Amino acid sequence: MNRISQKKGGTRMLLQANEAIARGALEAGVIFAAGYPGNPSSEIIETLAKASRDLPIYVEWSVNEKVALEAATGASFAGCRAICSMKQNGVNVVSDFLTNLSLSGTKGGLVLVSCDDPGGISSTNEEDARAFAPLSDIPLLEPSSPQEALDMARWAFDLSETINNIVMIRSVSRLSHSRSDVQVKDLPDFDVQPYFDTKVSFHTFPIVAKHQARHEKLRMAEELFENSPFNFYRGPSRPELLVIGSGCAVDYAIDAIEIMSLWERVGVLKLGTTWPLPRKLLLENLQKSESILFVEDVDPFIETNVKALAAEAARQVGVKTFHGRGSGDFPLCGELGPSHLLEFFGNYFDLDWKDQEFRNKMGSLTKGKIPPREFGFCPGCPHRGSFYAIKTALAWDDRDGFVSGDIGCYTMGIWPTGFNQVKSVHAMGSGSGIACGYGKLEGFGFDQPVITVCGDSTFFHATIPALVNARFNNADILLVVLDNSATAMTGFQPHPGTGKTAMGQPTQPVDIAALCESMGLEVHVGDPYEMKETARRLYDLMQKQGPRVMVLRRKCALVQGREGGFPYDMHVDQSLCVGEECGCGRYCTRIFRCPGLIWDKEKKKAMIDQVICVGCGICAEICPQGAIKKEAKG
Amino acid sequence: MELNVIITGVGGQGNVLASQVLGNAAVYKGFHVSIGETFGLSQRGGAVMSHVRLFKEPRYSPLIPPNRAHIVVGLEPLETLRIAQDHANPETLFIVNSRPIYPLNVIAGDVDYPDTAWIRQVLEQGGSRLYWLEGTQLAIELGGPIMLNMVMLGALCAIQSFPLETKDIKDILGEIFPQSKLEVNYRALDMGEELISNYEN
Ligand code: SF4
Ligand code: SF4
């Protein structure tokens, strides 16, 4: 049995913060969960989906974040507790609904979890989604440890029901993907009877009155926040420096204080409730010190708001010196880490914080000899074949064509692994939307061919409206759907095309090719492993006009690896390989860049890395000498 | 008490699973544990690093402060070298698998993979002790390169200053692997342990 669905509380278990959020929601009696996969948030819904095997709850991967929140809201309106999770970009997608929903209010406890990705470790942007809390006037909670993630998730539903509005929890990659020992409580009975009370309604009219009511709800939340256990002060009564912050950054501060033995000199006000700010609590603490340091990811959110508060209350709290991202003491962008804190304290208190001697020694030993590790498609990845075919077709055409990209593993088409074919990437579905623009420029003399790509999950999420637009306005776009039967980038979650739901139930798959055909588009289906054939067909399609679609179907290599593996044993016949002489020098390894096909430094020939190669066989096609050999596995 | 262990390697080497196994075993042993993981794009062959921290008191920072790793378990030599300057110190103990996984830019000939003998030498000079192990070879003999993470955990458990034993790891493996996979993972742990106890320098 899954630990997350363990009925009894009291035990201590190692949980990832995302799992802890899921457990907290279950302890609160959530029966409805919806989301769209996205690093670093995916494990919340995945964990709940697993728990749904043991518990009477409903969990879905929705087609996109907006629909996810809308579905969860339906459950809330019917009196059930519901949770909805996503990454920061998802909050952008839901924002139109969110700013309206927070006017209408909610019924059953409703919690939105945003997992932000400071540094954009696995994102196309760096964004602080906390800005949506003030924008939509909703309470914001920020956990700083897995235990707190659990406790906050549980409490957030009570808060939501107290103020009848949605509550936002904001995590960050570092926390979401951290694990620590967590104390769990009992699970409730989940015996809810959904009922929509037709005596009430949920809409935004009269607008100004609803807006006022929304502010009143915030005020109630602020009152509760004043005494929340998620905010606490630790340190001396008059510290030389007061640290105010949220999230993991507070833990780094605490670590640094321990390391430098600064508990006599530095105090920490940890905030877990960051919108609205508990003003009384802040004013009380601001009086403790003249010097304030803000630690938070990413934007100076607490910093800016506390500075405004301190200005308002200057007579009461006195004049302060502020430090933080906004004041230029830390970088304004990127993730905060332990060394930022150590360095700040080191400079501030004139203390030594790093083992400079060791660093110098290692630096001089390793000098410049550590090559970076380039990102790339997995061995056997169908995208390598797709981009190779696209590159070939665009080269044959020779009109300086390019690819309008989208979000998924194939975003890496911007890099050498995708032969640098992709020239733009923005939001989900934007590749096709932008292509609609290029597709109407012909009348002005634009004749560069453009191929736009999107994955299967992205197709459902946001590409469909762009395709309808292309049909409607007769735009010349050529969309290649890189259909690998998975939301691969985020961990292989099912989507509308896979025929399986989050809870593992079979469902009627939505057929991408048939859907496109029904819109009156010209549709072709191909195999990315057949690179030459695919290139030839793409070339032909590039010469045509109007909206065209080519679906390239092949399972994600990691999924294929789990489901039966690959057909070939590979080797390079080094007597045939011409090595440095091949196509401006070792063509296969220099250009194709599959991690399984490597360079034998001694013999100066290509060779297969038997530990890495999965045996997809496609590299055999690219060797002009026929030196790369595939044999059916025995 | 604070013990900081880094497990570093390349996506697909089972790094995250290793840290999870270690963390679970430590919690059963009564430790407070905090693990920070850097993955994301790592699944696609990028570098992956897990910070595993054991405490007697609850502490939460998921990242080990600079130069404060007590033990570094390197699943891949270059990745071990990469993190050494920022995370190790003269007292750090390294347990490193000697088998490289070549980055794409090396395969393509843009840059060179440093000589492994040189990596070995640098790590030997950098920390207090280096165990340079033929882990991948052993893993392949056991059934496949993916066994490497358990081999390396076995090696870690053989270290005097590390408070868990292979038995502690074995006790929790049942929660993670299906019954059919247990025996071979037990064996990987034992053989990893032997790599250290029979280590000759
Ligand atoms: S996870 Fe799948 S789709 Fe993504 S790079 Fe790897 S093989 Fe390709
Ligand atoms: S067969 Fe070739 S392309 Fe496929 S994984 Fe092996 S080396 Fe890479």
Side-chain angles (χ1 to χ4, degrees), chain A residues 319-434:
Chain A
V319 177
K320 307 286 167 199
T321 312
F322 293 110
H323 305 276
R325 287 183 185 259
S327 308
D329 302 85
F330 297 132
L332 249 185
C333 313
E335 188 189 15
L336 225 51
S339 53
H340 290 112
L341 272 300
L342 284 162
E343 186 172 1
F344 180 87
F345 290 147
N347 293 338
Y348 193 87
F349 295 105
D350 198 15
L351 297 167
D352 189 23
W353 67 276
K354 64 177 164 188
D355 195 339
Q356 198 54 52
E357 200 182 313
F358 174 80
R359 284 167 169 259
N360 292 346
K361 177 176 159 189
M362 289 307 277
S364 66
L365 282 172
T366 59
K367 202 175 302 152
K369 286 210 201 156
I370 306 182
R373 193 170 282 274
E374 184 178 297
F375 288 125
F377 298 125
C378 303
C381 177
H383 297 332
R384 186 174 285 104
S386 296
F387 279 112
Y388 192 79
I390 288 172
K391 167 181 132 73
T392 308
L394 289 173
W396 284 338
D397 179 272
D398 201 24
R399 282 178 292 162
D400 209 13
F402 61 98
V403 176
S404 172
D406 222 301
I407 298 188
C409 287
Y410 50 91
T411 300
M412 292 192 287
I414 59 174
W415 290 319
T417 192
F419 317 110
N420 304 305
Q421 297 297 294
V422 173
K423 299 301 175 189
S424 65
V425 177
H426 300 85
M428 296 283 281
S430 297
S432 296
I434 294 172

Side-chain angles (χ1 to χ4, degrees), chain A residues 290-606:
Chain A
E290 242 108 80
S291 215
I292 315 289
L293 171 69
F294 297 98
V295 298
E296 58 189 318
D297 274 317
V298 176
D299 293 335
F301 177 84
I302 299 175
E303 180 172 352
T304 309
N305 289 302
V306 170
K307 279 174 173 169
L309 180 66
E312 251 173 39
R315 280 180 200 290
Q316 184 187 345
V317 300
V319 177
K320 307 286 167 199
T321 312
F322 293 110
H323 305 276
R325 287 183 185 259
S327 308
D329 302 85
F330 297 132
L332 249 185
C333 313
E335 188 189 15
L336 225 51
S339 53
H340 290 112
L341 272 300
L342 284 162
E343 186 172 1
F344 180 87
F345 290 147
N347 293 338
Y348 193 87
F349 295 105
D350 198 15
L351 297 167
D352 189 23
W353 67 276
K354 64 177 164 188
D355 195 339
Q356 198 54 52
E357 200 182 313
F358 174 80
R359 284 167 169 259
N360 292 346
K361 177 176 159 189
M362 289 307 277
S364 66
L365 282 172
T366 59
K367 202 175 302 152
K369 286 210 201 156
I370 306 182
R373 193 170 282 274
E374 184 178 297
F375 288 125
F377 298 125
C378 303
C381 177
H383 297 332
R384 186 174 285 104
S386 296
F387 279 112
Y388 192 79
I390 288 172
K391 167 181 132 73
T392 308
L394 289 173
W396 284 338
D397 179 272
D398 201 24
R399 282 178 292 162
D400 209 13
F402 61 98
V403 176
S404 172
D406 222 301
I407 298 188
C409 287
Y410 50 91
T411 300
M412 292 192 287
I414 59 174
W415 290 319
T417 192
F419 317 110
N420 304 305
Q421 297 297 294
V422 173
K423 299 301 175 189
S424 65
V425 177
H426 300 85
M428 296 283 281
S430 297
S432 296
I434 294 172
C436 283
Y438 301 127
K440 295 309 299 181
L441 293 180
E442 203 195 355
F444 303 94
F446 183 83
D447 85 329
Q448 290 170 276
V450 181
I451 291 178
T452 180
V453 294
C454 80
D456 35 352
S457 190
T458 307
F459 177 87
F460 295 113
H461 182 288
T463 301
I464 295 173
L467 269 188
V468 174
N469 185 66
R471 175 69 290 164
F472 176 38
N473 293 303
N474 225 0
D476 295 325
I477 91 167
L478 171 52
L479 168 68
V480 174
V481 182
L482 305 169
D483 181 357
N484 62 2
S485 310
T487 317
M489 184 78 193
T490 52
F492 323 111
Q493 295 81 4
H495 62 63
T498 58
K500 220 174 75 185
T501 68
M503 292 166 74
Q505 312 284 330
T507 180
Q508 171 87 39
V510 180
D511 183 328
I512 295 178
L515 187 66
C516 291
E517 261 160 21
S518 76
M519 287 188 234
L521 308 174
E522 179 177 350
V523 181
H524 298 260
V525 178
D527 178 353
Y529 277 7
E530 304 286 338
M531 296 186 290
K532 272 197 196 113
E533 168 66 8
T534 300
R536 201 185 48 69
R537 296 174 67 193
L538 282 175
Y539 175 82
D540 288 347
L541 276 173
M542 271 155 53
Q543 314 313 318
K544 296 186 174 177
Q545 283 176 326
R548 292 139 289 157
V549 177
M550 173 105 172
V551 183
L552 293 179
R553 261 187 216 145
R554 217 5 124 155
K555 268 188 195 151
C556 160
L558 296 186
V559 174
Q560 185 62 43
R562 288 175 200 178
E563 296 176 358
F566 292 83
Y568 299 111
D569 275 328
M570 305 297 295
H571 73 274
V572 174
D573 182 341
Q574 294 194 332
S575 67
L576 295 177
C577 172
V578 292
E580 301 283 6
E581 306 303 314
C582 180
C584 305
R586 42 146 118 173
Y587 181 74
C588 62
T589 53
R590 183 170 54 84
I591 300 297
F592 200 59
R593 283 175 134 92
C594 174
L597 181 62
I598 60 174
W599 186 246
D600 184 340
K601 254 182 165 177
E602 275 157 39
K603 309 230 175 68
K604 296 201 178 351
K605 305 267 163 134

Side-chain angles (χ1 to χ4, degrees), chain A residues 379-380 570 592 594 596-597 608 613-619:
Chain A
M570 305 297 295
F592 200 59
C594 174
L597 181 62
I608 297 289
C613 167
V614 294
C616 73
I618 64 170
C619 55

